[in-house]
Amino acid sequence: LVTMTTYNATDMADVMARLSALEAATAPPMFNSGDTAWLLTSTALVLMMTLPGLALFYGGMAQVKNVLSTVFQTFSITCLITVLWFMMSYSLAFKEGSKVIGGSSRFWLIGSDDSGNQQSPNRIGLNTVHPLAPTIPEPLFMTFQMTFAIITAAIVCGSFAERMKFTSMLVFIFFWHFLVYCFVAHSEWATDGFLAQAGTLDFAGGDVVHICSGVSGLAASIVLGPRQGFGVKDMKPHNVVYTMIGGSLLWVGWFGFNAGSAVAANGSAAFAMMATQIATGTSGFTWMVVEYLHRGKASVLGIVSGAVAGLVVITPAAGYVDQTGAFCMGLIGAPIIYGGVQLKHWLGYDDALDAFGVHGVGGIVGGILTGFFANDFISTVHDKRGVFYGRGVQLGLQIYGIVVVAGWSFFMSFILLKLIQMSPLGLRVSEHAETVGLDI
């Protein structure tokens, strides 16, 4: 008490302020329950896009002799990427490092500190957050981003379906995930990524997911060569109902994909959901009309493909455009992507399930159109606006991002595939296996 009386009022106020600051610094972050609940839901929705959504979508499009092998690829990739993501890839994609790849501070979700000290910033715990998602627990952000990595790798399989060895596929996806996906994701989405710092806009994965997977699939189509009888034999989808069910699950799951990328339950998520629905409906209907004009009739496979095309084209712009932008992107994107699907017949490469035609071309178209329709009224950031809203330089930045991602994805995929092809492992199944089907 005697000691306390030696302090004057100013000293006591200073002491209390320091104690309050110390308490605030050591207190756990205040998570937003609404944001957390929405991201929990979104994570489940995006995983549903792959299992069973993409598995059914691709499985229905495959020939009947290759259905099981096609869905097996999707399921096995889901398991593989899950393991790789928590072991190393999350850290390489989303932790600070260089301008193209992250560091090791979250390897095994622990990093360099394995002492068991839960307060260490190198450990992922109940109260840790990521700078890109400060209102939700970091384990949730990590798992949400894992589902994006999963579906990106699974999409690639659509281009080389029905002719690649299963073991070779796993080896390719293993190295591709580290050398292509992690590089692109960090460059585009991490706070220190060079494309993010340059100002490219990719709200939910037009570059990171669709261009990356689609262009990689194109490289696989070229290296592997066409299937036996491509362009001669009838290779109709064996069950369009499966594809329609899978496409419908993709549509519903895409709300978690696009609106979830706001990483909050807020107006940005609401606009992203609205834009996704408008663009998808517009694209599906437009595709149906274009197909009717081109072939003389519309089809279930056509309208489902058109809807998926709309989902792809709006992905980079979902949180940046209003209802007019979403409508125009669906309207403009559908006929261009329809033409992109026809490219394989004109140029002779075998993009078996249209991974490049829909995702590669769609991602490119969506990225360019984002450079026109991005609206700072929606993004609430002055620099996140396109040509039609007074910022012409954004179109150049979008094209820059597209060229970098497409170029890196194609180059690295081509090299990886060639190395596997020249190895004792080989790349393509035997002629007999391809003839009788990969399900046997």
Side-chain angles (χ1 to χ4, degrees), residues 81 84-85 89 149 172-182:
I81 300 301
L84 298 180
W85 191 254
S89 311
F172 169 65
I173 292 297
F174 178 92
F175 288 105
W176 177 90
H177 173 69
F178 287 115
L179 295 176
V180 179
Y181 184 81
C182 289

Side-chain angles (χ1 to χ4, degrees), residues 211-230:
I211 294 178
C212 185
S213 61
V215 172
S216 296
L218 175 63
S221 298
I222 293 172
V223 173
L224 275 163
R227 292 166 291 175
Q228 294 178 8
F230 175 71

Side-chain angles (χ1 to χ4, degrees), residues 13-289:
D14 183 61
V15 170
M16 294 303 294
R18 289 173 181 271
L19 287 173
S20 297
L22 179 62
E23 182 181 28
T26 57
M30 297 295 292
F31 298 129
N32 183 293
S33 59
D35 294 349
T36 302
W38 170 232
L39 264 293
L40 287 166
T41 304
S42 295
T43 300
L45 287 171
V46 180
L47 182 59
M48 183 189 73
M49 289 171 65
T50 306
L51 297 176
L54 189 67
L56 284 170
F57 186 79
Y58 277 174
M61 292 176 69
Q63 298 177 82
V64 68
K65 62 183 179 180
N66 295 312
V67 178
L68 294 179
S69 63
T70 301
V71 299
F72 187 30
Q73 288 178 341
T74 304
F75 208 104
S76 62
I77 285 173
T78 301
C79 298
L80 173 63
I81 300 301
T82 297
V83 175
L84 298 180
W85 191 254
F86 96 86
M87 290 175 65
M88 297 177 65
S89 311
Y90 169 65
S91 187
L92 294 174
F94 283 99
K95 297 306 291 184
E96 290 185 356
S98 70
K99 291 184 179 294
V100 296
I101 196 69
S104 61
S105 63
R106 277 288 186 265
F107 279 6
W108 204 268
L109 306 183
I110 293 176
S112 58
D113 184 352
D114 59 358
S115 64
N117 176 15
Q118 292 298 322
Q119 297 303 316
S120 168
N122 286 328
R123 295 187 64 89
I124 191 168
L126 295 176
N127 297 317
T128 56
V129 297
H130 190 280
L132 294 175
T135 63
I136 65 171
E138 189 176 7
L140 175 56
F141 178 75
M142 185 279 299
T143 309
F144 178 65
Q145 292 298 337
M146 178 195 292
T147 61
F148 280 68
I150 288 169
I151 196 168
T152 307
I155 289 170
V156 182
C157 295
S159 288
F160 57 69
E162 304 187 322
R163 60 200 191 277
M164 185 184 283
K165 290 180 178 179
F166 181 75
T167 307
S168 301
M169 181 275 296
L170 290 178
V171 172
F172 169 65
I173 292 297
F174 178 92
F175 288 105
W176 177 90
H177 173 69
F178 287 115
L179 295 176
V180 179
Y181 184 81
C182 289
F183 273 80
V184 172
H186 185 84
S187 300
E188 188 84 53
W189 283 340
T191 53
D192 58 345
F194 78 98
L195 291 176
Q197 292 180 346
T200 59
L201 299 180
D202 186 8
F203 188 78
D207 290 353
V208 178
V209 176
H210 299 297
I211 294 178
C212 185
S213 61
V215 172
S216 296
L218 175 63
S221 298
I222 293 172
V223 173
L224 275 163
R227 292 166 291 175
Q228 294 178 8
F230 175 71
V232 179
K233 292 173 55 179
D234 186 5
M235 295 182 177
K236 288 183 179 178
H238 95 282
N239 194 323
V240 177
V241 174
Y242 284 177
T243 299
M244 188 277 293
I245 295 171
S248 300
L249 290 169
L250 285 169
W251 189 337
V252 174
W254 225 290
F255 291 129
F257 197 88
N258 284 357
S261 291
V263 290
N266 57 16
S268 179
F271 258 98
M273 179 174 282
M274 179 192 73
T276 299
Q277 183 68 16
I278 291 172
T280 305
T282 303
S283 179
F285 191 86
T286 303
W287 188 292
M288 180 177 66
V289 173

